[in-house]
Amino acid sequence: MINYNSVRAVLFDLDGVLVDTAIYHFQAWRRLASELGYSFSVVDNEQLKGVSRVESLELILNWAGLEKSETEKADLLTKKNQWYLELIEQLNPEHLLAGSLDLLKKLQEKGIKIALGSASKNALGILEKTGIIAYFDALIDGNVVQLSKPNPEVFLKGAEVLGIEPAYCLVLEDAQAGIDAARAAGMQVIGVGQAEHLNGADLVVADLGTLVDKF
Ligand code: BG6
Ligand code: MG
């Protein structure tokens, strides 16, 4: 159960919540894994959602039973990101997920603060390309956090910048790591997607559209 009346700030994950980029991360990781001789599955991919680029590579190398030097890892990360950037080059407002824009508008109208809480280092470019950057009162992304979800740092930093206590914050997440991070931060959390991948969420919805009337 969500207590919507207590919500003073909504903290949005980016990939797979606001923008339909999760598929491009999947495609770029699968291409990299395939070059490494590893067959990357959708089940593997689920475990990478919300996880930083560096930690994702470590997981893939681990699954593939491979060891790489720091230089080799850096090259692999650069390659993955270049492929990802190519895939998202044409990103535009049409790639916003259902209900994203309506919910952002509604929250702004109601005076509820809006923050980004994303692991991505590409987040700002994506918010610009999709035309929603102006809605955000705080932008916390992979360039400013040290610790990957499920660590709560990304959401606690958001709350701090907004000056709002965690108990009045609501997180919207599509990844298990993000649900765990929100709970560790002491915030309410709604999972976006399929309930079986979102254990511990206070509520799971198929898309953000169903939330617009709650505020
Ligand atoms: C998260 C995604 O939002 O950001 C992950 O769910 C991704 O799949 C991570 O690896 C880091 O993103 P980027 O853009 O910095 O490689
Ligand atoms: Mg996500």
Side-chain angles (χ1 to χ4, degrees):
M1 274 279 284
I2 298 287
N3 179 356
Y4 293 99
N5 289 330
S6 71
V7 176
R8 294 188 200 158
V10 175
L11 285 70
F12 287 84
D13 174 51
L14 175 69
D15 298 308
V17 169
L18 285 167
V19 186
D20 201 3
T21 42
I23 179 71
Y24 301 126
H25 278 297
F26 172 61
Q27 289 172 1
W29 283 127
R30 190 176 52 183
R31 184 170 171 189
L32 192 79
S34 151
E35 273 205 359
L36 294 167
Y38 178 70
S39 166
F40 182 71
S41 70
V42 286
V43 176
D44 294 336
N45 187 57
E46 205 53 47
Q47 294 185 59
L48 300 190
K49 285 187 181 170
V51 175
S52 72
R53 201 182 308 163
V54 171
E55 287 187 26
S56 298
L57 178 64
E58 291 296 344
L59 285 168
I60 291 172
L61 291 175
N62 197 24
W63 296 331
L66 295 170
E67 280 191 23
K68 297 283 175 191
S69 69
E70 290 309 311
T71 320
E72 288 169 323
K73 284 182 198 172
D75 289 347
L76 291 169
L77 288 169
T78 302
K79 216 188 241 193
K80 187 270 172 178
N81 198 48
Q82 273 168 0
W83 289 333
Y84 177 65
L85 290 176
E86 279 168 29
L87 288 165
I88 64 166
E89 205 185 325
Q90 305 300 327
L91 215 62
N92 62 60
E94 286 176 16
H95 291 88
L96 287 172
L97 285 164
S100 296
L101 195 55
D102 289 342
L103 184 58
L104 289 167
K105 282 184 179 160
K106 184 71 175 285
L107 295 172
Q108 194 176 58
E109 258 171 51
K110 295 279 172 183
I112 295 170
K113 297 283 180 205
I114 300 173
L116 184 79
S118 168
S120 175
K121 295 189 172 186
N122 296 304
L124 298 192
I126 292 170
L127 294 180
E128 272 163 9
K129 279 173 185 280
T130 51
I132 55 173
I133 197 159
Y135 286 96
F136 291 84
D137 301 296
L139 292 165
I140 313 296
D141 66 10
N143 298 296
V144 295
V145 294
Q146 307 296 322
L147 302 163
S148 216
K149 298 170 188 175
N151 187 286
E153 182 188 9
V154 65
F155 296 131
L156 291 175
K157 272 213 163 100
E160 193 186 323
V161 171
L162 295 175
I164 294 180
E165 291 292 316
Y168 303 113
C169 293
L170 170 65
V171 171
L172 304 180
E173 257 296 345
D174 72 321
Q176 186 63 53
I179 302 286
D180 297 342
R183 288 187 64 97
M187 299 176 180
Q188 297 196 84
V189 55
I190 296 180
V192 184
Q194 293 169 313
E196 71 255 38
H197 302 307
L198 301 165
N199 293 314
D202 297 303
L203 173 74
V204 175
V205 295
D207 65 64
L208 299 182
T210 55
L211 300 175
V212 178
D213 293 340
K214 306 289 183 191
F215 295 95

